[in-house]
């Protein structure tokens, strides 16, 4: 896909190296990284609270909340890690199928290693998986839309600036 960063197997090491280097600079991008770290801690807390306190079964929308927040957070981390590719190609829409793929991997993990699904029928599990992937995709789409809008606005000429090679 247009702008898709190379070597997906190296994405996690890139994330670690890039985030540490950016945070050490103590500039605006460091604040964004720290905000995403706080977002990740919040989503993780909501998830484990949902599992531990049985909130997932008590509050019907809890699963949608955590999956949309997860999709948003993972998409934001991915775009921030690969922002050079995003600015070079002017596109972040590759993040949407990336989020679907990561979400699908998590759903396989959930199916294989979680005990709660044993009580579900196959139909219930399929519906849950489709809703989870849909909410992950919504979160990723919000990020891709925001980045796309930002890139479009950044490319627009400002009204108060003269065009290049302007002759009077």
């Amino acid at each position: 896909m247009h702008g898709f960063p190379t070597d997906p197997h190296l994405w996690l090491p890139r994330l670690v190296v890039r985030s540490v280097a950016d945070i050490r600079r103590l500039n605006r991008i460091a604040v964004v990284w720290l905000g995403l770290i706080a977002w990740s801690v919040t989503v993780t807390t909501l998830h484990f609270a949902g599992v531990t306190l049985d909130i997932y079964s008590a509050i019907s929308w809890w699963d949608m909340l955590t999956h949309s927040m997860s999709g948003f957070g993972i998409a934001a981390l991915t775009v921030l890690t690969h922002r050079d590719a995003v600015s070079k190609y002017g596109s972040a829409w590759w993040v949407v199928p990336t989020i679907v793929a990561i979400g699908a991997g998590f759903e396989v993990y959930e199916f294989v290693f979680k005990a709660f699904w044993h009580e579900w029928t196959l139909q219930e599990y399929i519906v849950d998986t489709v809703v989870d992937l849909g909410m992950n995709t919504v979160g990723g789409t919000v990020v891709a839309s925001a980045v796309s809008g930002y890139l479009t606005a950044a490319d627009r000429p400002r009204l108060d600036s003269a065009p290049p090679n302007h002759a009077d």
Side-chain angles (χ1 to χ4, degrees), residues 48-71:
F48 283 110
V51 170
T52 310
L53 304 173
D54 207 25
I55 298 173
Y56 280 107
S57 59
I59 301 174
S60 61
W61 50 264
W62 194 264
D63 193 38
M64 291 189 290
L65 172 73
T66 57
H67 277 277
S68 62
M69 289 179 71
S70 295

Side-chain angles (χ1 to χ4, degrees), residues 32-161:
V32 174
W33 279 109
L34 294 173
L36 284 173
I37 290 168
W39 183 271
S40 299
V41 168
T42 301
V43 172
T44 302
T45 302
L46 291 173
H47 169 68
F48 283 110
V51 170
T52 310
L53 304 173
D54 207 25
I55 298 173
Y56 280 107
S57 59
I59 301 174
S60 61
W61 50 264
W62 194 264
D63 193 38
M64 291 189 290
L65 172 73
T66 57
H67 277 277
S68 62
M69 289 179 71
S70 295
F72 180 95
I74 293 169
L77 287 170
T78 304
V79 168
L80 192 57
T81 299
H82 301 289
R83 65 184 179 270
D84 297 338
V86 170
S87 62
K88 177 180 176 183
Y89 294 103
S91 176
W93 287 105
W94 54 267
V95 80
V96 176
T98 300
I99 295 306
V100 172
I102 291 169
F106 181 79
E107 291 301 315
V108 169
Y109 161 82
E110 190 177 81
F111 183 81
V112 172
F113 295 106
K114 296 288 186 184
F116 73 86
W117 73 269
H118 289 286
E119 299 173 13
W120 289 2
T121 65
L122 183 58
Q123 182 180 5
E124 289 172 318
Y125 192 76
I126 289 171
V127 168
D128 178 70
T129 298
V130 169
V131 170
D132 290 352
L133 290 175
M135 295 313 295
N136 290 341
T137 303
V138 167
T141 301
V142 168
V143 170
S145 296
V147 170
S148 181
Y150 174 80
L151 291 171
T152 301
D155 280 347
R156 234 180 264 139
R158 292 186 5 208
L159 295 175
D160 61 343
S161 65

